[in-house]
Amino acid sequence: MKKITVKTSKPYNVLIEQGILSNCGKYISEVVNTKYVALITDDIVDGLYSEKVIKSLSEYGFTVKKYVFENGEKSKCSQNLNNIYDFLAKNNITRTDCIIALGGGVTGDISGFAAATFLRGIPYIQIPTTLLAQIDSSVGGKTAINLPCGKNLVGAFKQPELVLCDPLTLKTLPDKIVSDGMAEAIKYGMIRSRELFDIIASHDLSNYFEQADDIIYRCISIKSNIVENDEFDKGERMLLNFGHTLGHAVESYYNYSGYTHGSAVAIGMNLITQQAVKKGLCNELTSDILVKVLKAYDLPLTADAKTEELTALCSNDKKCESQSINIIICSDIGISYINKISFEEFLAFMNA
């Protein structure tokens, strides 16, 4: 088992082990005092893992109430959130009880936001079952829902009590969802670690699982270090948004149905790096290597939407500050920095 302690204002552990789902009750019983939990999951993950998780929880004396919603980004909305609140209230969940998020990023984000706000806050645990959720969204305490005009615009910081990552869950994922997660892994390599990037580049979609445990561990280690330095996203943590400003615009433009989050981030990373090359902020070789790796994991490089249509949507992004926007530039693989520019300069930068 690999363990990473995230030393935020409320420290917690991330445990990584193949097969840990079958023994999740043991680890959860060590961090919560209640014996009453609300399991929140989507209709795909429910059929794959709920029974195994509930069995382990029951073995350790937990009573489990389960809420299942329709899978997909469109469920990360206010209506589903209100349905979760109703479910928690009707099942008499109290502030001493616990929510368990079982699933991908959508499940973790909306469950975490419900935990942050229901009864002004109750404990919750992340059991991420996708690569993207394991390496990124389950760690760091960001929780949110989407609005029609933009992604993650309503949310709260809420650190979990525990994160349990079982790499074996990746074996049930279709290639498209694995690619989704690899986009975020590539992001980590680009912003902070040439070594991680090279590990990813030495594999492809057909054999990535050989290094899955190591990739998960390295990505979480990078994120935990950044989050510890900037828990509430005022400085260094913005580096984690490489590719996300345009990526969120792509998701919004296609109404959260045309591109997955990882695919949109891949497009964002490629477009911002191409423009950085034109401005002399990044060398062309770096851009070429990034494109090669994105292709190896079957990730898109561009969207059909025009650049000016995407950049217009960026004004709704939460990375904007008054009349300025923070964009992340990778001058080389493993080296990144925050570039704060006016929105007018951003439009000129992207349309160069």
Side-chain angles (χ1 to χ4, degrees):
M1 177 186 293
K2 295 183 178 181
K3 181 173 79 170
I4 298 170
T5 301
V6 184
K7 299 172 185 175
T8 50
S9 55
K10 181 191 173 304
Y12 56 95
N13 290 327
V14 180
L15 306 181
I16 307 164
E17 184 178 54
Q18 294 190 17
I20 199 171
L21 248 64
S22 298
N23 203 25
C24 64
K26 174 182 182 296
Y27 300 106
I28 292 172
S29 67
E30 293 171 354
V31 298
V32 298
N33 294 321
T34 186
K35 290 297 181 182
Y36 201 69
V37 299
L39 181 68
I40 299 177
T41 189
D42 69 37
D43 51 0
I44 292 179
V45 176
D46 179 46
L48 293 170
Y49 301 118
S50 284
E51 184 178 348
K52 181 182 293 186
V53 168
I54 292 172
K55 181 177 183 292
S56 181
L57 289 168
S58 298
E59 289 172 353
Y60 283 85
F62 288 101
T63 298
V64 183
K65 296 294 182 179
K66 184 175 69 173
Y67 175 85
V68 181
F69 62 88
E70 183 180 357
N71 72 87
E73 190 75 26
K74 285 189 174 182
S75 288
K76 207 170 100 173
C77 63
S78 58
Q79 182 58 59
N80 192 31
L81 178 66
N82 284 328
N83 291 341
I84 291 172
Y85 289 148
D86 287 343
F87 162 79
L88 297 173
K90 289 175 181 177
N91 284 280
N92 300 313
I93 298 297
T94 71
R95 292 178 69 180
T96 60
D97 297 322
C98 181
I99 289 175
I100 299 175
L102 174 66
V106 170
T107 300
D109 279 2
I110 197 167
S111 300
F113 187 47
T117 51
F118 186 70
L119 301 179
R120 297 192 177 91
I122 63 176
Y124 89 112
I125 287 166
Q126 289 268 20
I127 306 182
T129 59
T130 65
L131 180 60
L132 189 150
Q134 289 179 359
I135 67 174
D136 191 65
S137 60
S138 66
V139 177
K142 280 188 177 181
T143 71
I145 59 170
N146 303 329
L147 296 181
C149 61
K151 179 150 178 161
N152 295 334
L153 293 184
V154 179
F157 288 95
K158 173 73 171 176
Q159 302 295 348
E161 306 295 311
L162 177 71
V163 180
L164 300 176
C165 295
D166 188 342
L168 288 180
T169 61
L170 307 183
K171 290 197 167 185
T172 63
L173 298 176
D175 286 349
K176 181 179 180 180
I177 304 304
V178 174
S179 296
D180 203 43
M182 289 308 303
E184 289 285 359
I186 292 166
K187 174 200 76 176
Y188 281 111
M190 285 293 295
I191 66 168
R192 187 53 67 88
S193 173
R194 180 68 189 244
E195 186 175 4
L196 169 61
F197 188 92
D198 288 344
I199 291 171
I200 295 169
S202 66
H203 294 75
D204 57 30
L205 202 54
S206 68
N207 61 3
Y208 82 96
F209 193 78
E210 295 173 2
Q211 296 293 323
D213 291 32
D214 189 35
I215 290 171
I216 293 168
Y217 180 81
R218 287 174 182 268
C219 289
I220 295 174
S221 295
I222 292 169
K223 182 164 190 180
S224 64
N225 178 260
I226 291 174
V227 169
E228 287 167 6
N229 293 335
D230 178 25
E231 182 173 355
F232 300 107
D233 206 15
K234 300 295 185 182
E236 182 183 354
R237 187 167 178 168
M238 292 182 189
L239 293 175
L240 297 171
N241 291 320
F242 176 54
H244 284 61
T245 300
L246 285 166
H248 287 170
V250 170
E251 289 182 90
S252 180
Y253 183 86
Y254 289 97
N255 198 28
Y256 305 107
S257 61
Y259 290 89
T260 61
H261 175 68
S263 292
V265 167
I267 293 169
M269 289 191 292
N270 179 51
L271 292 181
I272 203 78
T273 302
Q274 284 185 352
Q275 297 308 105
V277 171
K278 293 178 182 178
K279 290 290 187 178
L281 302 176
C282 173
N283 63 72
E284 191 169 355
L285 179 60
T286 296
S287 178
D288 291 343
I289 294 172
L290 172 61
V291 166
K292 182 179 179 180
V293 175
L294 292 174
K295 287 182 177 179
Y297 287 94
D298 199 23
L299 287 160
L301 303 178
T302 59
D304 292 333
K306 295 179 180 179
T307 302
E308 55 265 30
E309 293 175 317
L310 297 179
T311 51
L313 289 171
C314 292
S315 62
N316 286 329
D317 194 89
K318 62 184 184 301
K319 288 171 282 300
C320 290
E321 298 177 3
S322 187
Q323 300 301 309
S324 65
I325 187 169
N326 295 298
I327 60 173
I328 312 306
I329 303 294
C330 289
S331 56
D332 201 348
I333 296 168
I335 301 173
S336 60
Y337 64 94
I338 302 164
N339 189 11
K340 184 175 182 178
I341 57 178
S342 70
F343 197 73
E344 288 72 23
E345 289 174 315
F346 172 66
L347 294 178
F349 176 86
M350 289 308 304
N351 290 312

